[in-house]
């Protein structure tokens, strides 16, 4: 059976990369004594498929992973078995059984929504609003990827809005394309807005089709 | 003083800017985080290299387990920050902190460093500074933690004597409870730091360098060691567990990629072969085996408690384990049940027979490592590893037929009495191995050679021998490189400067503390890392302290010379080492002492019976 687990990724484990998260799930399932199916071939791998990769350091509120299980278990049983078997910071929201033929998450997800918290309070709200307007009015935003290639961030941005409900600190809501070959990064948007890497904390609210 | 909250805020802000931030956050499955104020004794366990390398350290994980079992004590871990993190800590004036409660090191009662090899020394100094602690033990104040060290390198504690308040000689798990009890008790009574150290000194196996005075002869060798405080205690005898303590059943599971990311279960400690170059073989006597039931039960528990599916058996010489065949069969059953990947390192070809090969049938064939060490049968008699070339070849033939494609051969160069013929022997042997492999496994066969410089280590029958001269080692290295050039054999050589440094640091005396300090001031750290090692820092340090390092390395010594480590008693008698040294000069071998006791001193010094201890661990 194939299950889709929605989970949160916060605390220390947000510093675990997507690659390492694969083995975290594999080991968690083994601790829970839930048998996972393996791929065929010379180097059989457990069939665990993570959704859209979450950049290192980001909090995720509704991350997804698909896992193929041997035999069939009730959802209640899976969730009971997993209790206390996940490392600190991973928390399950929901588990659902899905069709084995369903397309992988990475191929159906279109966009993701982020909430970015500002760690400094110095920047005046008005100023932030101005910066957002300016960026949204720009024709293109040329940025450089880690591999040195230049790309235009602008078409990847769906929206940027300031959330200021007078509670605590203001935050910025960002909606970005999240397709396999066209993915925007929230931190890049923040850089375009003139913030530096130590100024903010990114939280992904969810990814949508 | 910055508190945990400030440290956490610092991390939230800055972690994203460093490489592998997961190194600094903890939070691993099975991590133990106790409420700071709920216990009276706080211990920081430090491994002076980065998380990725230190995480799998078995010593740390055993002590972590034992200390945290005390209701009234906690243990937290610290690893060396990589350069990027170090820079941030310094810029932000954040002191080095533990992974669990994010507490600065200077808030702990006891700080224990685990030092398996000498090239970690400068990192120790660097970490003490990052922790805002006085680097010199003599400058520590009443409010400072007690800072101790243990691990294989500290079997010669002298080069680091000035930086530690105490050393644990031998197996830490045997002594740690006694140390914790002294600290708990003394803290409650309100004793001062000095008094606590005096009480620690009463524990067997604890060496307080400050208690000893050293006098030197005019030729710079040592005249005497005098224990000022306990005049009757001339030497410190190592501690060891008669019965191997149960392995930790809930080891931590890393959240990020680390080296050796697998379950490790120690099946046997010690080795009876008596290779004359091998320090572990001498300092880890006597042999103690863990019984099969305990091994299998522990493996099963650990698999369930960690979810890790890669498993490895640890010992100096796995195939010498008494019931190795039965053990492997049972491990294979377990592997099938849980779908585990199982590796069995340290096989000795003398005891790895085709029976065993059959047991390993069907498992994925990784590397097969053979360590002939020397290139000729004669030189192997000198070092007491009497494996004839013919059986190396026979084993290779067998394992190739069984389907292993990757063979790794280990050699050392620079042994006493080594001639160019022995070096030629390495080439001939390797070519033959390569031919056999190619013949049986066609294109898929790969041969990998690892060639290291022999370093005469303290507490071994070769402790009187000098390190090979640079010109000679380089000549031999060039010869090997030249003659193996076109054979498609991959060859790795150790760097002579690193071997030289390791040799100085492992054989040094108290005068080296200043040198280590200067080298660190000059910028030396992460000396074990190829990309960081910089011999210039050390060169300058030797000359600014007017120390000639050759005094410690190349000189051959008289057997009457008093060595810096002679007051550290490993239970093996000096007479035995001398006898073995003499035998080596005549190319005579000694047998494996499982078959017949060679009277090395272990039985008499510790009042034990080696063959009983080996299997049952108890002594009536
Ligand atoms: S006392 Fe005898 S049996 Fe025991 S380790 Fe020494 S030589 Fe071997």
């Amino acid at each position: 059976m194939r299950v889709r687990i929605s989970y949160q990724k916060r605390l220390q484990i947000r510093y675990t990369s997507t690659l390492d998260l694969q083995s975290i799930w594999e080991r968690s399932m083994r601790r829970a004594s839930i048998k996972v199916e393996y791929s065929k071939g010379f180097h059989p791998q457990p069939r665990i498929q993570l959704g859209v990769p979450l950049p290192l350091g980001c909090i995720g509120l509704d991350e997804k992973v698909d896992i193929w299980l041997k035999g069939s278990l009730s959802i209640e049983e899976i969730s009971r078995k997993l209790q206390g078997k996940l490392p600190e910071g991973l928390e399950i929201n929901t588990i659902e059984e899905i069709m084995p033929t369903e397309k992988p998450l990475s191929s159906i997800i279109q966009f993701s929504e982020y909430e970015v918290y500002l760690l400094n309070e110095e920047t005046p709200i008005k100023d932030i609003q101005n910066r957002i307007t300016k960026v949204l009015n720009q024709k293109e935003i040329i940025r450089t990827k880690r591999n040195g290639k230049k790309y235009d961030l602008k078409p990847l941005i769906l929206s940027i809005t300031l959330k200021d409900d007078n509670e605590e600190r203001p935050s910025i809501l960002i909606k970005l394309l999240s397709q396999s070959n066209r993915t925007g990064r929230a931190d890049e948007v923040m850089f375009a807005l003139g913030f530096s890497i130590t100024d903010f904390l990114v939280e992904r609210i969810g990814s949508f089709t | 003083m910055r508190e945990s909250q400030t440290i956490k805020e610092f991390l939230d802000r800055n972690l994203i800017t460093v490489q592998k931030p997961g190194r600094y956050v903890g939070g691993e499955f099975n991590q133990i985080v106790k409420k700071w104020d709920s216990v009276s004794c706080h211990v920081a366990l430090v491994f002076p290299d980065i998380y990725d390398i230190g995480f799998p350290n078995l010593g740390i994980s055993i002590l972590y387990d034992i200390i945290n079992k005390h209701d009234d004590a906690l243990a937290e871990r610290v690893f060396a920050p990589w350069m990027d993190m170090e820079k941030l800590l310094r810029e932000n004036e954040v002191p080095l902190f533990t992974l669990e409660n994010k507490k600065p090191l200077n808030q702990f009662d006891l700080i224990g460093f685990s030092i398996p090899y000498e090239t970690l020394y400068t990192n120790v100094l660097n970490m003490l500074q990052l922790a805002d602690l006085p680097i010199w033990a003599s400058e520590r104040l009443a409010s400072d933690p007690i800072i101790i060290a243990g691990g294989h390198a500290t079997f010669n504690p002298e080069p680091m004597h000035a930086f530690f308040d105490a050393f644990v000689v031998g197996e830490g798990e045997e002594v740690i409870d006694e140390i914790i009890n002294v600290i708990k008790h003394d803290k409650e009574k309100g004793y001062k730091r000095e008094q606590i150290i005096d009480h620690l000194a009463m524990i067997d196996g604890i060496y307080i360098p400050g208690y000893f005075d050293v006098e030197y002869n005019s030729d710079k060798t040592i005249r005497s060691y005098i224990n000022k405080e306990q005049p009757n205690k001339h030497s410190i005898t190592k501690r060891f567990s008669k019965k191997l303590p149960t392995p930790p059943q809930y080891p931590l599971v890393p959240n990020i990629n680390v080296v050796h990311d697998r379950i490790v279960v120690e099946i046997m400690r010690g080795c009876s072969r008596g290779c004359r170059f091998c320090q572990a073989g001498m300092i880890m006597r006597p042999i103690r085996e863990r019984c099969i039931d305990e091994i299998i039960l522990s493996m099963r528990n650990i698999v369930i408690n960690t979810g890790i599916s890669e498993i490895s058996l640890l010992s100096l010489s796995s195939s010498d384990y008494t019931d190795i065949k039965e053990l492997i069969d049972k491990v294979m059953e377990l592997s099938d049940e849980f779908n585990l990947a199982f590796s069995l390192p340290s096989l000795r070809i003398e005891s790895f027979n085709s029976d065993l090969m059959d047991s390993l049938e069907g498992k994925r064939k990784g590397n097969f490592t053979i360590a002939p060490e020397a290139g000729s049968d004669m030189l192997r008699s000198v070092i007491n590893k009497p494996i004839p070339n013919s059986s190396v070849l026979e084993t290779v033939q067998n394992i190739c037929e069984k389907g292993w494609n990757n063979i790794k051969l280990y050699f050392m160069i620079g042994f006493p009495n080594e001639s160019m013929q022995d070096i030629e022997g390495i080439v001939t042997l390797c070519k033959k191995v390569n031919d056999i492999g190619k013949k049986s496994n066609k294109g898929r066969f790969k041969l990998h050679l690892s060639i290291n410089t022999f370093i005469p280590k303290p507490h071994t029958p070769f402790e009187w021998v000098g390190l090979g001269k640079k010109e000679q080692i380089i000549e031999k290295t060039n010869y090997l490189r030249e003659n193996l050039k076109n054979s498609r054999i991959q060859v790795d050589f150790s760097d002579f400067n690193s071997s030289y440094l390791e040799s100085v640091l492992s054989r040094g005396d108290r005068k080296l503390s200043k040198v280590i300090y200067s080298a660190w001031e000059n910028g030396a750290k992460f000396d074990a890392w190829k990309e960081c090692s910089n011999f210039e820092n050390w060169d300058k340090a030797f000359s600014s302290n007017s120390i000639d390092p050759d005094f410690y390395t190349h000189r051959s010594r008289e057997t009457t010379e008093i060595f810096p480590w002679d007051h550290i008693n490993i239970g093996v008698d000096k007479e035995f080492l001398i006898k073995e040294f003499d035998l080596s000069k005549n190319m005579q071998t000694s047998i494996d002492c499982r078959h017949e006791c060679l009277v090395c001193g272990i039985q008499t010094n510790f009042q034990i019976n080696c063959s009983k201890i080996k299997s049952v661990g108890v002594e009536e």
Side-chain angles (χ1 to χ4, degrees):
Chain A
M1 75 187 279
R2 176 178 172 188
V3 293
R4 178 162 294 170
I5 301 178
S6 154
Y7 63 94
Q8 301 185 13
K9 189 185 180 207
R10 31 169 93 237
L11 302 175
Q12 302 96 319
I13 206 152
R14 67 192 163 96
Y15 296 108
T16 293
S17 70
T18 306
L19 192 69
D20 292 333
L21 199 59
Q22 184 86 19
S23 89
I24 302 263
W25 276 107
E26 182 196 339
R27 290 173 174 179
S28 299
M29 298 307 273
R30 196 174 291 106
R31 289 194 288 264
S33 327
I34 300 175
K35 291 223 151 83
V36 176
E37 261 185 39
Y38 276 73
S39 64
K40 310 253 158 10
F42 196 62
H43 292 298
Q45 295 295 319
R47 294 193 69 189
I48 295 174
Q49 215 170 62
L50 290 159
V52 196
L54 182 66
L56 205 66
C58 297
I59 294 173
L61 295 185
D62 184 16
E63 297 303 303
K64 302 256 164 63
V65 59
D66 286 0
I67 306 179
W68 281 255
L69 307 180
K70 279 188 186 157
S72 86
L73 292 165
S74 70
I75 298 298
E76 291 71 46
E77 190 158 12
I78 298 171
S79 118
R80 186 182 55 76
K81 284 190 165 195
L82 274 170
Q83 207 128 109
K85 304 298 182 189
L86 294 177
E88 194 176 18
L90 285 189
E91 247 167 84
I92 293 183
N93 298 323
T94 57
I95 306 176
E96 53 173 342
E97 179 166 8
I98 59 168
M99 294 295 289
T101 50
E102 202 142 319
K103 283 191 182 150
L105 281 161
S106 55
S107 73
I108 50 172
I109 293 297
Q110 296 299 322
F111 67 95
S112 300
E113 255 183 66
Y114 300 86
E115 179 159 7
V116 184
Y117 300 92
L118 301 177
L119 301 173
N120 285 340
E121 279 149 87
E122 296 95 65
T123 336
I125 303 283
K126 214 153 169 205
D127 191 29
I128 303 174
Q129 187 58 64
N130 287 341
R131 292 197 215 174
I132 294 176
T133 318
K134 201 173 146 220
V135 161
L136 289 176
N137 286 334
Q138 258 170 273
K139 275 222 171 60
E140 50 174 25
I141 308 169
I142 302 301
R143 302 215 32 102
T144 315
K145 284 191 193 169
R146 276 185 202 171
N147 61 14
K149 273 195 193 150
K150 293 211 182 320
Y151 74 103
D152 185 4
L153 174 65
K154 187 67 209 303
L156 307 177
I157 301 174
L158 301 176
S159 69
I160 309 174
T161 43
L162 182 67
K163 184 174 161 194
D164 178 25
D165 35 21
N166 285 328
E167 284 173 26
E168 298 177 39
R169 296 177 220 182
S171 61
I172 300 173
L173 292 174
I174 303 175
K175 215 182 270 186
L176 292 167
L177 278 190
S178 210
Q179 300 159 349
S180 51
N181 53 352
R182 300 181 76 217
T183 299
R185 288 179 58 110
D187 52 356
E188 290 278 287
V189 175
M190 292 303 285
F191 299 149
L193 289 171
F195 292 95
S196 81
I197 187 145
T198 53
D199 287 343
F200 57 86
L201 173 61
V202 179
E203 180 178 275
R204 179 151 77 187
I205 299 166
S207 299
F208 308 91
T209 53
Chain B
M1 178 52 49
R2 293 205 182 219
E3 264 306 327
S4 315
Q5 199 45 43
T6 327
I7 293 175
K8 283 179 196 154
E9 270 163 33
F10 159 79
L11 290 175
D12 274 346
R13 208 172 262 266
N14 293 286
L15 272 180
I16 193 65
T17 68
V18 301
Q19 255 183 57
K20 289 184 92 174
R23 289 168 175 161
Y24 311 104
V25 293
E28 302 92 339
F29 196 79
N30 288 333
Q31 176 187 246
I32 300 168
V33 188
K34 295 192 178 181
K35 276 226 163 63
W36 186 261
D37 296 324
S38 71
V39 302
S40 69
C41 176
H42 307 91
V43 185
L45 297 172
V46 190
F47 190 90
D49 206 321
I50 59 169
Y51 180 90
D52 321 34
I53 294 184
F55 180 92
N57 182 270
L58 206 58
I60 296 263
S61 83
I62 293 173
L63 295 173
Y64 187 79
D65 182 60
I66 299 180
I67 298 170
N68 279 317
K69 280 195 176 124
H70 284 255
D71 287 337
D72 205 20
L74 62 72
E76 307 200 346
R77 296 161 302 144
V78 193
F79 301 95
W82 186 240
M83 320 262 192
D84 54 356
M85 186 57 158
E86 173 179 341
K87 190 160 164 269
L88 282 176
L89 290 173
R90 290 187 190 277
E91 281 168 6
N92 292 277
E93 290 177 31
V94 172
L96 194 62
F97 55 87
T98 53
L99 294 180
E100 279 77 4
N101 272 307
K102 312 283 183 294
K103 283 279 180 187
L105 284 197
N106 52 15
Q107 311 246 319
F108 285 79
D109 302 302
L110 179 72
I111 299 179
F113 279 83
S114 167
I115 316 184
Y117 40 92
E118 295 81 5
T119 37
L120 296 173
Y121 287 166
T122 48
N123 280 17
V124 171
L125 274 57
N126 203 42
M127 290 178 84
L128 288 172
Q129 193 194 43
L130 286 170
D132 249 337
L133 289 162
I135 293 172
W136 300 97
S138 57
E139 289 173 9
R140 288 186 195 130
L141 306 172
S143 58
D144 286 320
I146 290 172
I147 305 178
I148 68 174
H152 280 190
T154 65
F155 273 91
N156 174 15
E158 296 305 84
M160 290 293 280
H161 84 287
F163 311 115
F164 289 109
D165 302 310
F167 289 88
V168 173
V169 181
E171 298 171 4
E173 59 263 56
E174 183 66 11
V175 200
I176 189 66
D177 284 337
E178 293 164 46
I179 296 175
I180 300 287
N181 290 338
V182 164
I183 290 183
K184 278 199 295 207
H185 172 267
D186 286 10
K187 231 186 131 182
E188 203 174 291
K189 289 268 187 295
Y191 284 130
K192 300 244 155 56
R193 194 170 183 281
E194 301 291 300
Q195 292 168 300
I196 303 180
I197 292 176
D198 286 343
H199 294 158
L200 289 177
M202 292 183 328
I203 300 175
D204 287 337
I206 297 287
Y207 169 53
I208 312 284
Y211 277 16
F212 282 79
D213 267 346
V214 191
E215 287 177 355
Y216 296 92
N217 296 311
S218 56
D219 65 357
K220 296 185 189 138
T221 56
I222 290 163
R223 181 181 313 150
S224 65
Y225 266 91
I226 295 158
N227 189 338
K228 296 172 290 185
E229 309 289 331
Q230 302 157 303
N232 294 326
K233 203 167 177 177
H234 304 299
S235 67
I236 308 298
T237 305
K238 79 158 181 186
R239 293 284 297 272
F240 68 95
S241 309
K242 288 189 175 169
K243 185 177 188 317
L244 292 187
T246 318
Q249 305 288 298
Y250 291 89
L252 277 59
V253 187
N255 280 339
I256 61 168
N257 180 30
V258 297
V259 301
H260 310 303
D261 185 6
R262 58 180 83 112
I263 298 168
V264 175
V265 176
E266 190 181 23
I267 60 170
M268 179 170 80
R269 209 175 276 180
C271 174
S272 53
R273 298 261 169 192
C275 300
R276 291 176 182 134
F277 57 85
C278 178
Q279 192 190 40
M282 297 294 155
I283 61 180
M284 290 169 83
R285 289 173 181 223
I287 286 197
R288 286 138 297 155
E289 292 188 346
R290 195 187 294 292
C291 70
I292 293 189
D293 288 348
E294 189 180 65
I295 296 170
I296 298 294
L297 185 66
S298 291
M299 283 173 90
R300 169 183 288 277
N301 287 342
I302 298 172
V303 169
I304 293 171
N305 296 338
T306 62
I308 300 175
S309 63
E310 299 81 14
I311 215 160
S312 175
L313 302 181
L314 175 76
S315 74
L316 290 174
S317 165
S318 301
S319 45
D320 284 344
Y321 181 84
T322 308
D323 298 314
I324 185 71
K325 173 96 174 79
E326 191 189 340
L327 175 63
I328 291 184
D329 288 345
K330 292 219 164 129
V331 173
M332 297 304 268
E333 272 171 37
L334 200 72
S335 296
D336 290 344
E337 184 184 341
F338 288 98
N339 208 350
L340 307 175
F342 154 62
S343 59
L344 181 69
S346 326
L347 295 166
R348 302 274 310 210
I349 65 175
E350 302 95 307
S351 45
F352 186 72
N353 48 31
S354 60
D355 234 20
L356 264 189
M357 285 184 220
D358 290 338
S359 298
L360 291 169
E361 205 52 74
K363 78 179 274 294
R364 201 191 293 162
K365 310 256 186 333
N367 281 317
F368 195 100
T369 303
I370 302 174
E373 314 288 5
S376 70
D377 293 1
M378 231 151 59
L379 192 55
R380 272 180 232 123
S381 301
V382 172
I383 63 175
N384 201 35
K385 194 163 187 184
I387 320 164
N389 277 337
S390 55
S391 42
V392 174
L393 296 173
E394 198 184 311
T395 310
V396 170
Q397 179 79 48
N398 281 332
I399 53 181
C400 284
E401 278 166 14
K402 300 274 180 195
W404 269 276
N405 292 322
N406 292 316
I407 292 193
K408 212 171 168 182
L409 295 179
Y410 276 91
F411 290 96
M412 281 194 262
I413 53 177
F415 281 125
N417 304 337
E418 184 179 79
S419 70
M420 254 350 243
Q421 270 165 339
D422 298 308
I423 305 299
E424 287 160 24
I426 297 181
V427 174
T428 321
L429 183 61
C430 292
K431 286 192 169 158
K432 281 188 185 156
V433 168
N434 207 31
D435 288 345
I436 296 177
K438 275 194 195 144
K439 224 174 260 163
S440 35
N441 295 3
K442 308 255 157 47
R444 283 180 297 150
F445 180 78
K446 274 206 200 86
L447 180 59
H448 190 144
L449 291 194
S450 170
I451 297 178
N452 291 297
T453 305
F454 163 65
I455 299 171
K457 286 283 170 109
H459 303 293
T460 68
F462 286 154
E463 61 178 11
W464 295 277
V465 173
L467 176 76
K469 292 261 164 53
K470 185 167 187 171
E471 310 78 62
Q472 290 165 356
I473 298 292
I474 289 186
E475 190 196 335
K476 290 171 183 171
T477 309
N478 287 343
Y479 178 88
L480 289 169
R481 198 171 274 141
E482 195 55 34
N483 284 280
L484 291 166
K485 201 161 55 184
N486 296 319
S487 55
R488 307 180 97 224
I489 301 172
Q490 193 197 329
V491 198
D492 289 337
F493 292 97
S494 61
D495 165 56
F496 183 80
N497 283 341
S498 320
S499 308
Y500 186 86
L501 181 60
E502 191 185 328
S503 173
V504 182
L505 294 177
S506 67
R507 319 202 39 158
D509 55 23
R510 293 192 161 196
K511 292 174 192 157
L512 283 195
S513 287
K514 280 192 180 140
V515 176
I516 295 168
Y517 187 86
S518 305
W520 166 72
E521 269 191 324
N522 297 342
K525 61 187 166 190
F526 289 107
D527 290 306
W529 288 66
K530 266 208 184 96
E531 57 266 53
C532 305
S533 75
N534 177 350
F535 202 65
E536 245 172 64
N537 293 329
W538 286 96
D539 255 348
K540 274 194 251 158
F542 286 119
S543 45
S544 65
N545 288 285
S546 316
I547 296 279
D548 173 16
D550 285 355
F551 173 80
Y552 301 101
T553 52
H554 295 313
R555 197 167 55 91
S556 353
R557 288 89 162 155
E558 296 298 322
T559 47
T560 47
E561 180 173 335
I562 297 176
F563 286 141
W565 53 88
D566 276 352
H567 58 308
I568 301 300
N569 179 3
I570 62 164
V572 172
D573 292 331
K574 197 88 170 178
E575 295 77 59
F576 173 78
L577 297 181
I578 295 177
K579 201 174 92 200
E580 283 293 307
F581 184 37
D582 288 340
L583 287 171
S584 84
K585 292 180 198 157
N586 299 323
M587 281 180 266
Q588 279 177 293
T589 58
S590 294
I591 58 161
D592 184 328
C593 72
R594 273 183 298 183
H595 309 304
E596 191 188 317
C597 175
L598 299 170
V599 202
C600 75
I602 289 284
Q603 307 213 76
T604 39
N605 290 323
F606 293 117
Q607 301 284 312
I608 54 166
N609 176 327
C610 279
S611 52
K612 260 195 198 158
I613 280 252
K614 181 177 162 203
S615 51
V616 280
V618 278
E619 191 63 17
E620 294 314 320

